[in-house]
Amino acid sequence: SQQGEEDPQALSIQEGENATMNCSYKTSINNLQWYRQNSGRGLVHLILIRSNEREKHSGRLRVTLDTSKKSSSLLITASRAADTASYFCATEFSGGYNKLIFGAGTRLAVHP
Amino acid sequence: GAVVSQHPSWVICKSGTSVKIECRSLDFQATTMFWYRQFPKQSLMLMATSNEGSKATYEQGVEKDKFLINHASLTLSTLTVTSAHPEDSSFYICSAGETGYTEAFFGQGTRLTVV
């Protein structure tokens, strides 16, 4: 069953602004991953943060993880129109061996 | 990273027919693969865990007789949607993990339309 919740469900911003998406989960995890999906297409892996990590950066992406609150956030800085997509967090349970449970997703629209 | 190939990328079938979707790990062996379903504007829902050489493990609410999974080799899992109906129309996507890697690798997905 789906365990992750994400907010906001939809986010509309202008190019150059930052976009922040949040994800919450319910059980102990090995890691949390963020994925991007363009409309009707496959998933693109963005970043993985392990349960013993608190923050991770990759280019314009910054991910934080708070295991005490069972939550994570994805920040996209200086957004571009090409960032328009749906973003999903996915958690791997402890002992899950790549079995991922996805959050509801955030649909991001970046306007030129 | 490792490559997972899914075929076909899209398929249209008539109501009552069966459709087989293949998921292959191209450059690694996967003892376990996963099948997800995604309805429009919704998230990915885990359907089942495909186990090489043994029966698949289905998530609650997923009909195992409707969605047949076969994982006969270390590089191939198949999902067969039997007696498909329009409500089975969805985007199906598989994933596999390589031993030693924490990242799961996803196929390109299959868009099934049942008419």
Side-chain angles (χ1 to χ4, degrees), chain B residues 37 47-49 55-70 78-83:
Chain B
R37 178 168 59 180
M47 298 175 67
T49 303
K55 291 182 180 180
T57 306
Y58 291 83
E59 295 298 305
Q60 193 173 9
V62 178
E63 300 175 59
K64 61 181 180 181
D65 295 330
K66 172 83 174 167
F67 300 100
L68 299 179
I69 292 173
N70 184 280
T78 61
L79 169 69
T80 301
V81 183
T82 63
S83 187

PDB file of all heavy atoms in Angstrom, chain B residues 37 47-49 55-70 78-83:
ATOM      1  N   ARG B  37       1.878  -0.006 -11.134  1.00  0.00           N
ATOM      2  CA  ARG B  37       0.837   0.485 -12.033  1.00  0.00           C
ATOM      3  C   ARG B  37       0.587   1.948 -11.690  1.00  0.00           C
ATOM      4  O   ARG B  37       0.611   2.333 -10.511  1.00  0.00           O
ATOM      5  CB  ARG B  37      -0.440  -0.336 -11.861  1.00  0.00           C
ATOM      6  CG  ARG B  37      -1.601   0.124 -12.732  1.00  0.00           C
ATOM      7  CD  ARG B  37      -2.721  -0.882 -12.728  1.00  0.00           C
ATOM      8  NE  ARG B  37      -3.234  -1.136 -11.390  1.00  0.00           N
ATOM      9  CZ  ARG B  37      -4.217  -1.994 -11.141  1.00  0.00           C
ATOM     10  NH1 ARG B  37      -4.777  -2.674 -12.116  1.00  0.00           N
ATOM     11  NH2 ARG B  37      -4.634  -2.174  -9.914  1.00  0.00           N
ATOM     12  N   MET B  47       2.413  -3.291  -7.369  1.00  0.00           N
ATOM     13  CA  MET B  47       1.477  -4.385  -7.588  1.00  0.00           C
ATOM     14  C   MET B  47       2.009  -5.684  -6.996  1.00  0.00           C
ATOM     15  O   MET B  47       1.281  -6.418  -6.325  1.00  0.00           O
ATOM     16  CB  MET B  47       1.254  -4.601  -9.081  1.00  0.00           C
ATOM     17  CG  MET B  47       0.635  -3.431  -9.807  1.00  0.00           C
ATOM     18  SD  MET B  47       0.555  -3.741 -11.574  1.00  0.00           S
ATOM     19  CE  MET B  47      -0.648  -5.071 -11.628  1.00  0.00           C
ATOM     20  N   ALA B  48       3.280  -5.976  -7.304  1.00  0.00           N
ATOM     21  CA  ALA B  48       3.801  -7.276  -6.894  1.00  0.00           C
ATOM     22  C   ALA B  48       5.313  -7.296  -6.956  1.00  0.00           C
ATOM     23  O   ALA B  48       5.934  -6.490  -7.655  1.00  0.00           O
ATOM     24  CB  ALA B  48       3.246  -8.365  -7.798  1.00  0.00           C
ATOM     25  N   THR B  49       5.867  -8.222  -6.223  1.00  0.00           N
ATOM     26  CA  THR B  49       7.291  -8.510  -6.246  1.00  0.00           C
ATOM     27  C   THR B  49       7.488  -9.804  -7.004  1.00  0.00           C
ATOM     28  O   THR B  49       6.888 -10.835  -6.647  1.00  0.00           O
ATOM     29  CB  THR B  49       7.843  -8.650  -4.821  1.00  0.00           C
ATOM     30  OG1 THR B  49       7.571  -7.451  -4.086  1.00  0.00           O
ATOM     31  CG2 THR B  49       9.343  -8.906  -4.841  1.00  0.00           C
ATOM     32  N   LYS B  55       7.148 -18.147  -6.719  1.00  0.00           N
ATOM     33  CA  LYS B  55       5.921 -17.388  -6.960  1.00  0.00           C
ATOM     34  C   LYS B  55       6.092 -15.909  -6.623  1.00  0.00           C
ATOM     35  O   LYS B  55       6.838 -15.543  -5.701  1.00  0.00           O
ATOM     36  CB  LYS B  55       4.776 -17.971  -6.127  1.00  0.00           C
ATOM     37  CG  LYS B  55       4.324 -19.334  -6.566  1.00  0.00           C
ATOM     38  CD  LYS B  55       3.152 -19.817  -5.713  1.00  0.00           C
ATOM     39  CE  LYS B  55       2.679 -21.190  -6.155  1.00  0.00           C
ATOM     40  NZ  LYS B  55       1.543 -21.667  -5.324  1.00  0.00           N
ATOM     41  N   ALA B  56       5.357 -15.101  -7.338  1.00  0.00           N
ATOM     42  CA  ALA B  56       5.382 -13.669  -7.058  1.00  0.00           C
ATOM     43  C   ALA B  56       4.623 -13.366  -5.771  1.00  0.00           C
ATOM     44  O   ALA B  56       3.738 -14.136  -5.368  1.00  0.00           O
ATOM     45  CB  ALA B  56       4.762 -12.909  -8.218  1.00  0.00           C
ATOM     46  N   THR B  57       4.983 -12.281  -5.162  1.00  0.00           N
ATOM     47  CA  THR B  57       4.287 -11.819  -3.964  1.00  0.00           C
ATOM     48  C   THR B  57       3.457 -10.610  -4.349  1.00  0.00           C
ATOM     49  O   THR B  57       3.988  -9.600  -4.800  1.00  0.00           O
ATOM     50  CB  THR B  57       5.302 -11.406  -2.877  1.00  0.00           C
ATOM     51  OG1 THR B  57       6.206 -12.478  -2.638  1.00  0.00           O
ATOM     52  CG2 THR B  57       4.565 -11.039  -1.596  1.00  0.00           C
ATOM     53  N   TYR B  58       2.148 -10.716  -4.155  1.00  0.00           N
ATOM     54  CA  TYR B  58       1.244  -9.667  -4.587  1.00  0.00           C
ATOM     55  C   TYR B  58       0.872  -8.751  -3.426  1.00  0.00           C
ATOM     56  O   TYR B  58       0.708  -9.200  -2.291  1.00  0.00           O
ATOM     57  CB  TYR B  58      -0.027 -10.276  -5.186  1.00  0.00           C
ATOM     58  CG  TYR B  58       0.217 -10.966  -6.511  1.00  0.00           C
ATOM     59  CD1 TYR B  58       0.699 -12.270  -6.559  1.00  0.00           C
ATOM     60  CD2 TYR B  58      -0.027 -10.302  -7.708  1.00  0.00           C
ATOM     61  CE1 TYR B  58       0.945 -12.893  -7.770  1.00  0.00           C
ATOM     62  CE2 TYR B  58       0.208 -10.920  -8.928  1.00  0.00           C
ATOM     63  CZ  TYR B  58       0.699 -12.211  -8.944  1.00  0.00           C
ATOM     64  OH  TYR B  58       0.944 -12.823 -10.148  1.00  0.00           O
ATOM     65  N   GLU B  59       0.701  -7.476  -3.755  1.00  0.00           N
ATOM     66  CA  GLU B  59       0.249  -6.525  -2.740  1.00  0.00           C
ATOM     67  C   GLU B  59      -1.251  -6.713  -2.518  1.00  0.00           C
ATOM     68  O   GLU B  59      -1.976  -7.265  -3.361  1.00  0.00           O
ATOM     69  CB  GLU B  59       0.552  -5.097  -3.184  1.00  0.00           C
ATOM     70  CG  GLU B  59       2.039  -4.804  -3.295  1.00  0.00           C
ATOM     71  CD  GLU B  59       2.766  -4.939  -1.979  1.00  0.00           C
ATOM     72  OE1 GLU B  59       2.351  -4.266  -0.991  1.00  0.00           O
ATOM     73  OE2 GLU B  59       3.755  -5.692  -1.915  1.00  0.00           O
ATOM     74  N   GLN B  60      -1.671  -6.254  -1.391  1.00  0.00           N
ATOM     75  CA  GLN B  60      -3.079  -6.386  -1.041  1.00  0.00           C
ATOM     76  C   GLN B  60      -3.958  -5.729  -2.089  1.00  0.00           C
ATOM     77  O   GLN B  60      -3.688  -4.601  -2.523  1.00  0.00           O
ATOM     78  CB  GLN B  60      -3.323  -5.750   0.328  1.00  0.00           C
ATOM     79  CG  GLN B  60      -4.661  -6.090   0.935  1.00  0.00           C
ATOM     80  CD  GLN B  60      -4.774  -5.582   2.367  1.00  0.00           C
ATOM     81  OE1 GLN B  60      -3.920  -4.839   2.839  1.00  0.00           O
ATOM     82  NE2 GLN B  60      -5.824  -5.991   3.054  1.00  0.00           N
ATOM     83  N   GLY B  61      -4.986  -6.428  -2.499  1.00  0.00           N
ATOM     84  CA  GLY B  61      -5.930  -5.874  -3.458  1.00  0.00           C
ATOM     85  C   GLY B  61      -5.589  -6.148  -4.907  1.00  0.00           C
ATOM     86  O   GLY B  61      -6.375  -5.805  -5.797  1.00  0.00           O
ATOM     87  N   VAL B  62      -4.453  -6.740  -5.161  1.00  0.00           N
ATOM     88  CA  VAL B  62      -4.065  -7.062  -6.537  1.00  0.00           C
ATOM     89  C   VAL B  62      -4.401  -8.518  -6.816  1.00  0.00           C
ATOM     90  O   VAL B  62      -3.957  -9.414  -6.091  1.00  0.00           O
ATOM     91  CB  VAL B  62      -2.561  -6.818  -6.756  1.00  0.00           C
ATOM     92  CG1 VAL B  62      -2.156  -7.206  -8.171  1.00  0.00           C
ATOM     93  CG2 VAL B  62      -2.215  -5.358  -6.477  1.00  0.00           C
ATOM     94  N   GLU B  63      -5.172  -8.750  -7.877  1.00  0.00           N
ATOM     95  CA  GLU B  63      -5.619 -10.112  -8.188  1.00  0.00           C
ATOM     96  C   GLU B  63      -4.510 -10.893  -8.880  1.00  0.00           C
ATOM     97  O   GLU B  63      -4.120 -10.572 -10.004  1.00  0.00           O
ATOM     98  CB  GLU B  63      -6.826 -10.054  -9.109  1.00  0.00           C
ATOM     99  CG  GLU B  63      -8.032  -9.329  -8.539  1.00  0.00           C
ATOM    100  CD  GLU B  63      -9.128  -9.216  -9.590  1.00  0.00           C
ATOM    101  OE1 GLU B  63      -9.591 -10.259 -10.078  1.00  0.00           O
ATOM    102  OE2 GLU B  63      -9.509  -8.080  -9.937  1.00  0.00           O
ATOM    103  N   LYS B  64      -4.036 -11.920  -8.248  1.00  0.00           N
ATOM    104  CA  LYS B  64      -2.938 -12.691  -8.825  1.00  0.00           C
ATOM    105  C   LYS B  64      -3.354 -13.464 -10.060  1.00  0.00           C
ATOM    106  O   LYS B  64      -2.531 -13.750 -10.929  1.00  0.00           O
ATOM    107  CB  LYS B  64      -2.325 -13.626  -7.783  1.00  0.00           C
ATOM    108  CG  LYS B  64      -3.286 -14.648  -7.224  1.00  0.00           C
ATOM    109  CD  LYS B  64      -2.581 -15.508  -6.185  1.00  0.00           C
ATOM    110  CE  LYS B  64      -3.525 -16.546  -5.596  1.00  0.00           C
ATOM    111  NZ  LYS B  64      -2.864 -17.378  -4.572  1.00  0.00           N
ATOM    112  N   ASP B  65      -4.637 -13.820 -10.156  1.00  0.00           N
ATOM    113  CA  ASP B  65      -5.096 -14.548 -11.344  1.00  0.00           C
ATOM    114  C   ASP B  65      -5.317 -13.599 -12.516  1.00  0.00           C
ATOM    115  O   ASP B  65      -5.386 -14.028 -13.666  1.00  0.00           O
ATOM    116  CB  ASP B  65      -6.396 -15.288 -11.042  1.00  0.00           C
ATOM    117  CG  ASP B  65      -6.193 -16.381 -10.012  1.00  0.00           C
ATOM    118  OD1 ASP B  65      -5.077 -16.946  -9.956  1.00  0.00           O
ATOM    119  OD2 ASP B  65      -7.134 -16.654  -9.243  1.00  0.00           O
ATOM    120  N   LYS B  66      -5.432 -12.353 -12.216  1.00  0.00           N
ATOM    121  CA  LYS B  66      -5.622 -11.339 -13.250  1.00  0.00           C
ATOM    122  C   LYS B  66      -4.279 -10.874 -13.798  1.00  0.00           C
ATOM    123  O   LYS B  66      -4.114 -10.649 -14.985  1.00  0.00           O
ATOM    124  CB  LYS B  66      -6.356 -10.155 -12.624  1.00  0.00           C
ATOM    125  CG  LYS B  66      -6.485  -8.935 -13.489  1.00  0.00           C
ATOM    126  CD  LYS B  66      -7.648  -9.105 -14.394  1.00  0.00           C
ATOM    127  CE  LYS B  66      -7.893  -7.837 -15.165  1.00  0.00           C
ATOM    128  NZ  LYS B  66      -8.836  -8.098 -16.283  1.00  0.00           N
ATOM    129  N   PHE B  67      -3.341 -10.727 -12.921  1.00  0.00           N
ATOM    130  CA  PHE B  67      -2.013 -10.232 -13.283  1.00  0.00           C
ATOM    131  C   PHE B  67      -0.994 -11.344 -12.997  1.00  0.00           C
ATOM    132  O   PHE B  67      -0.476 -11.478 -11.894  1.00  0.00           O
ATOM    133  CB  PHE B  67      -1.668  -8.976 -12.488  1.00  0.00           C
ATOM    134  CG  PHE B  67      -2.617  -7.840 -12.721  1.00  0.00           C
ATOM    135  CD1 PHE B  67      -3.638  -7.566 -11.808  1.00  0.00           C
ATOM    136  CD2 PHE B  67      -2.508  -7.052 -13.857  1.00  0.00           C
ATOM    137  CE1 PHE B  67      -4.525  -6.517 -12.027  1.00  0.00           C
ATOM    138  CE2 PHE B  67      -3.391  -5.996 -14.079  1.00  0.00           C
ATOM    139  CZ  PHE B  67      -4.409  -5.733 -13.176  1.00  0.00           C
ATOM    140  N   LEU B  68      -0.723 -12.117 -14.054  1.00  0.00           N
ATOM    141  CA  LEU B  68       0.170 -13.257 -13.907  1.00  0.00           C
ATOM    142  C   LEU B  68       1.612 -12.801 -14.072  1.00  0.00           C
ATOM    143  O   LEU B  68       1.966 -12.160 -15.049  1.00  0.00           O
ATOM    144  CB  LEU B  68      -0.157 -14.328 -14.955  1.00  0.00           C
ATOM    145  CG  LEU B  68      -1.572 -14.908 -14.884  1.00  0.00           C
ATOM    146  CD1 LEU B  68      -1.760 -15.936 -15.985  1.00  0.00           C
ATOM    147  CD2 LEU B  68      -1.842 -15.526 -13.525  1.00  0.00           C
ATOM    148  N   ILE B  69       2.433 -13.180 -13.117  1.00  0.00           N
ATOM    149  CA  ILE B  69       3.841 -12.802 -13.161  1.00  0.00           C
ATOM    150  C   ILE B  69       4.697 -14.048 -13.231  1.00  0.00           C
ATOM    151  O   ILE B  69       4.521 -14.988 -12.456  1.00  0.00           O
ATOM    152  CB  ILE B  69       4.214 -11.949 -11.931  1.00  0.00           C
ATOM    153  CG1 ILE B  69       3.519 -10.590 -12.012  1.00  0.00           C
ATOM    154  CG2 ILE B  69       5.734 -11.773 -11.841  1.00  0.00           C
ATOM    155  CD1 ILE B  69       3.672  -9.742 -10.785  1.00  0.00           C
ATOM    156  N   ASN B  70       5.631 -14.019 -14.172  1.00  0.00           N
ATOM    157  CA  ASN B  70       6.570 -15.114 -14.330  1.00  0.00           C
ATOM    158  C   ASN B  70       7.975 -14.561 -14.340  1.00  0.00           C
ATOM    159  O   ASN B  70       8.280 -13.622 -15.066  1.00  0.00           O
ATOM    160  CB  ASN B  70       6.286 -15.859 -15.650  1.00  0.00           C
ATOM    161  CG  ASN B  70       7.183 -17.069 -15.801  1.00  0.00           C
ATOM    162  OD1 ASN B  70       8.345 -16.954 -16.178  1.00  0.00           O
ATOM    163  ND2 ASN B  70       6.656 -18.223 -15.485  1.00  0.00           N
ATOM    164  N   THR B  78       7.980 -11.316 -16.608  1.00  0.00           N
ATOM    165  CA  THR B  78       6.867 -10.938 -17.465  1.00  0.00           C
ATOM    166  C   THR B  78       5.607 -10.746 -16.636  1.00  0.00           C
ATOM    167  O   THR B  78       5.382 -11.444 -15.643  1.00  0.00           O
ATOM    168  CB  THR B  78       6.590 -11.988 -18.550  1.00  0.00           C
ATOM    169  OG1 THR B  78       6.258 -13.227 -17.925  1.00  0.00           O
ATOM    170  CG2 THR B  78       7.796 -12.177 -19.454  1.00  0.00           C
ATOM    171  N   LEU B  79       4.811  -9.779 -17.058  1.00  0.00           N
ATOM    172  CA  LEU B  79       3.512  -9.510 -16.450  1.00  0.00           C
ATOM    173  C   LEU B  79       2.472  -9.726 -17.531  1.00  0.00           C
ATOM    174  O   LEU B  79       2.542  -9.086 -18.590  1.00  0.00           O
ATOM    175  CB  LEU B  79       3.448  -8.069 -15.939  1.00  0.00           C
ATOM    176  CG  LEU B  79       2.064  -7.555 -15.524  1.00  0.00           C
ATOM    177  CD1 LEU B  79       1.583  -8.256 -14.263  1.00  0.00           C
ATOM    178  CD2 LEU B  79       2.102  -6.038 -15.285  1.00  0.00           C
ATOM    179  N   THR B  80       1.548 -10.630 -17.305  1.00  0.00           N
ATOM    180  CA  THR B  80       0.471 -10.868 -18.253  1.00  0.00           C
ATOM    181  C   THR B  80      -0.837 -10.391 -17.649  1.00  0.00           C
ATOM    182  O   THR B  80      -1.232 -10.873 -16.573  1.00  0.00           O
ATOM    183  CB  THR B  80       0.367 -12.362 -18.609  1.00  0.00           C
ATOM    184  OG1 THR B  80       1.615 -12.798 -19.175  1.00  0.00           O
ATOM    185  CG2 THR B  80      -0.743 -12.597 -19.616  1.00  0.00           C
ATOM    186  N   VAL B  81      -1.457  -9.469 -18.333  1.00  0.00           N
ATOM    187  CA  VAL B  81      -2.779  -8.992 -17.924  1.00  0.00           C
ATOM    188  C   VAL B  81      -3.785  -9.879 -18.631  1.00  0.00           C
ATOM    189  O   VAL B  81      -3.897  -9.844 -19.869  1.00  0.00           O
ATOM    190  CB  VAL B  81      -2.992  -7.518 -18.304  1.00  0.00           C
ATOM    191  CG1 VAL B  81      -4.346  -7.026 -17.808  1.00  0.00           C
ATOM    192  CG2 VAL B  81      -1.859  -6.658 -17.728  1.00  0.00           C
ATOM    193  N   THR B  82      -4.475 -10.700 -17.896  1.00  0.00           N
ATOM    194  CA  THR B  82      -5.383 -11.665 -18.499  1.00  0.00           C
ATOM    195  C   THR B  82      -6.785 -11.100 -18.608  1.00  0.00           C
ATOM    196  O   THR B  82      -7.227 -10.316 -17.757  1.00  0.00           O
ATOM    197  CB  THR B  82      -5.423 -12.968 -17.677  1.00  0.00           C
ATOM    198  OG1 THR B  82      -5.939 -12.660 -16.372  1.00  0.00           O
ATOM    199  CG2 THR B  82      -4.038 -13.577 -17.545  1.00  0.00           C
ATOM    200  N   SER B  83      -7.468 -11.488 -19.675  1.00  0.00           N
ATOM    201  CA  SER B  83      -8.839 -11.039 -19.905  1.00  0.00           C
ATOM    202  C   SER B  83      -8.970  -9.541 -19.587  1.00  0.00           C
ATOM    203  O   SER B  83      -9.732  -9.129 -18.704  1.00  0.00           O
ATOM    204  CB  SER B  83      -9.809 -11.859 -19.035  1.00  0.00           C
ATOM    205  OG  SER B  83     -11.135 -11.551 -19.351  1.00  0.00           O
TER     206      SER B  83
END
